[in-house]
Amino acid sequence: MKTYLVTGAAGFIGANYLKYILAKHEDIRVVVLDALTYAGNLGTIVADLDNERCFFVKGDICDRQLADQLFAEYRFDYVVNFAAESHVDRSIENPQLFLITNILGTQNLLDAARRAWVTGKDAQGYPTWQKGVRFHQVSTDEVYGSLGEEGYFTETTPLCPHSPYSASKTSADMVVMAYHDTYKMPVTITRCSNNYGPYHFPEKLIPLIIKNIVEGKKLPVYGDGSNVRDWLYVEDHCKAIDLVVRKGTKGEVYNVGGHNEKTNLEIVKLTIATIRRLLTEKPEYREVLKHKQKEDRGEISIDWIDENLITFVKDRLGHDQRYAIDPTKISSELGWSPETRFEEGIVKTIEWYLNNQIWVEEVTSGDYQKYYERMYGKK
Ligand code: NAD
Ligand code: TYD
């Protein structure tokens, strides 16, 4: 039986990963470590926490004593580090928090793992490691910086981050690799493109657009909407991480992406059209448009759901123009390929949000409103 420490699993991708591995592998035990920041929501994973196979610890990845205590108590085989401050716009507001959590937090976990997993020294003085252990760092394609119209990020593309967020993730990757090169620590890194799917916090593009349509608000597009992101359904990312943790080669980086490049404007237009189609085909979903109920006596109208909702707003500072991943390495070495086409994934995602309005209300009940007003004004 393998025991995992999964950090940040009350957030978007970590929660999806937790659910995925618990369903896929019977013979595992998972400890979730999460500080429950504004982006973490215990409600997302509460049903998974059975205190037999899956345990929850509220805490900070920067806490040395806690990390040591957890390693001593649970004897982890794998660490999968999702915990991070993850939103570029917030990193522009408060860079230091990103550096503390994303770099020092990662380094703290690496050190705790080193203290727990080293068994001795080899003839050259390198540490020897407990068999079968692995530290996996969940990273991002944003470490490579920005592309022009052509080309793709491969694992050998030079690291060239621009935002405080991506600079902190790049630094963390370099520290992870330093532990591999210096101590021969068994590590792997995955660098994934933009994810979308259930449990995505509505400060990121796709869930924010869905939430705003449901609330009849304007849809803010930064700059001219021409920036390109390479979107991947979150479960495909989780499958890739699971493969790399179990079968990836130590000391290697794997890019994860599904060749699904779209401009932001295309994403917003597609989301509008898909919601409109779903509300037409399944009128029962119109219930979510409560704010329209007072205005319309009979059937709730959806005529207003169109591209006129789009509003072009001030561009993000240092906005990366284009991200696009070349996933050849993970496909050829580990047999990974994305399984969910975007047209299918976006429908699943929108339906999940329409069916889970209580979750949306729950996660946006705290600081969200203030953040929204700071970013977009009181519209
Ligand atoms: P998220 O913001 O939804 O979740 C982050 C989680 O980390 C939250 O549960 C939060 O409470 C927790 N956390 C934050 N600071 C912590 C700390 N100091 N100690 C313990 N827990 C802490 O993020 P996400 O979108 O799920 O991203 C997860 C990881 O994947 C991040 O490392 C991110 O850089 C990476 N990533 C994200 C994407 C994407 O599209 N969202 C793409 C590639 C890589
Ligand atoms: P985001 O979801 O924040 O992810 P990232 O910045 O990590 O790629 O943003 C995706 C793209 O959408 C990015 O180019 C910025 C843009 N964007 C908007 O145009 N409007 C918005 O309200 C948000 C949140 C993002």
Side-chain angles (χ1 to χ4, degrees):
M1 188 185 65
K2 297 287 188 188
T3 302
Y4 290 64
L5 174 63
V6 181
T7 70
F12 166 45
I13 308 174
N16 278 284
Y17 174 77
L18 178 72
K19 290 173 195 299
Y20 177 75
I21 57 169
L22 286 172
K24 169 124 198 256
H25 306 291
E26 264 188 22
D27 56 335
I28 62 169
R29 198 166 63 135
V30 186
V31 176
V32 172
L33 172 62
D34 197 298
L36 299 181
T37 68
Y38 79 92
N41 176 40
L42 197 53
T44 302
I45 55 168
V46 78
D48 304 296
L49 305 171
D50 60 6
N51 287 325
E52 280 179 25
R53 295 173 72 218
C54 187
F55 305 81
F56 179 77
V57 178
K58 181 174 186 300
D60 192 329
I61 57 165
C62 298
D63 183 337
R64 176 183 166 131
Q65 214 185 338
L66 176 63
D68 281 342
Q69 189 189 316
L70 293 177
F71 270 90
E73 189 175 341
Y74 292 101
R75 303 182 172 279
F76 301 120
D77 300 286
Y78 300 144
V79 176
V80 186
N81 184 28
F82 291 91
E85 289 294 337
S86 69
H87 191 37
V88 173
D89 293 319
R90 288 187 190 249
S91 83
I92 296 169
E93 282 191 323
N94 182 5
Q96 195 173 59
L97 175 62
F98 282 68
L99 271 56
I100 293 170
T101 297
N102 298 358
I103 308 171
L104 296 180
T106 301
Q107 188 267 335
N108 185 51
L109 294 172
L110 286 162
D111 254 358
R114 185 160 72 100
R115 285 190 289 273
W117 287 345
V118 168
T119 51
K121 269 189 198 162
D122 70 12
Q124 285 98 44
Y126 283 107
T128 51
W129 294 82
Q130 194 181 306
K131 286 235 154 21
V133 293
R134 173 66 57 93
F135 187 102
H136 183 75
Q137 176 70 0
V138 181
S139 186
T140 164
D141 59 356
E142 302 192 24
V143 301
Y144 298 119
S146 183
L147 292 165
E149 276 175 25
E150 306 269 301
Y152 297 95
F153 297 135
T154 71
E155 290 78 0
T156 55
T157 301
L159 303 180
C160 184
H162 299 295
S163 72
Y165 163 69
S166 54
S168 69
K169 293 295 290 184
T170 308
S171 310
D173 283 10
M174 293 177 111
V175 176
V176 170
M177 276 308 166
Y179 274 61
H180 172 263
D181 298 344
T182 307
Y183 308 115
K184 299 214 182 301
M185 185 167 187
V187 305
T188 37
I189 296 177
T190 41
R191 296 190 179 132
C192 189
S193 57
N194 285 59
N195 285 209
Y196 68 100
Y199 305 110
H200 203 179
F201 193 78
E203 66 184 351
K204 307 278 171 62
L205 181 65
I206 291 181
L208 185 132
I209 294 303
I210 299 171
K211 181 174 188 293
N212 280 17
I213 294 176
V214 167
E215 293 177 2
K217 287 188 183 158
K218 288 285 187 192
L219 311 179
V221 172
Y222 298 167
D224 61 4
S226 68
N227 304 69
V228 172
R229 297 293 181 264
D230 184 356
W231 295 91
L232 183 71
Y233 192 64
V234 62
E235 199 176 48
D236 282 324
H237 184 192
C238 297
K239 287 178 184 166
I241 296 171
D242 183 50
L243 266 177
V244 172
V245 167
R246 292 176 163 254
K247 301 198 176 128
T249 306
K250 286 180 250 178
E252 291 293 316
V253 173
Y254 295 87
N255 282 356
V256 185
H259 282 305
N260 182 52
E261 289 177 50
K262 298 221 179 315
T263 67
N264 293 338
L265 199 53
E266 282 176 302
I267 288 288
V268 175
K269 287 184 176 174
L270 255 164
T271 306
I272 297 169
T274 311
I275 293 198
R276 200 175 154 127
R277 181 166 59 74
L278 279 169
L279 294 172
T280 307
E281 287 169 6
K282 302 183 182 174
E284 62 274 20
Y285 279 140
R286 296 187 191 196
E287 270 306 299
V288 300
L289 305 173
K290 292 188 205 86
H291 58 100
K292 284 275 158 193
Q293 222 147 14
K294 286 192 205 90
E295 295 164 29
D296 307 305
R297 291 259 159 78
E299 194 183 52
I300 300 168
S301 147
I302 54 166
D303 295 346
W304 53 275
I305 302 182
D306 62 25
E307 292 175 10
N308 290 317
L309 289 172
I310 294 172
T311 173
F312 292 93
V313 300
K314 195 160 70 67
D315 207 354
R316 174 184 280 173
L317 303 179
H319 198 172
D320 285 338
Q321 182 54 36
R322 174 171 166 257
Y323 303 146
I325 282 269
D326 176 354
T328 306
K329 180 173 173 179
I330 190 166
S331 304
S332 58
E333 287 186 19
L334 301 178
W336 177 88
S337 60
E339 286 164 33
T340 304
R341 286 182 312 111
F342 187 77
E343 296 67 29
E344 195 191 320
I346 193 71
V347 171
K348 281 208 245 177
T349 304
I350 293 171
E351 289 205 281
W352 186 87
Y353 279 90
L354 296 179
N355 286 321
N356 287 277
Q357 286 294 299
I358 291 171
W359 182 90
V360 176
E361 279 164 31
E362 210 174 284
V363 300
T364 54
S365 63
D367 129 298
Y368 184 84
Q369 205 51 41
K370 280 194 221 131
Y371 168 78
Y372 194 88
E373 284 170 17
R374 269 202 320 277
M375 276 296 295
Y376 304 99
K378 285 196 186 191
K379 274 179 229 141

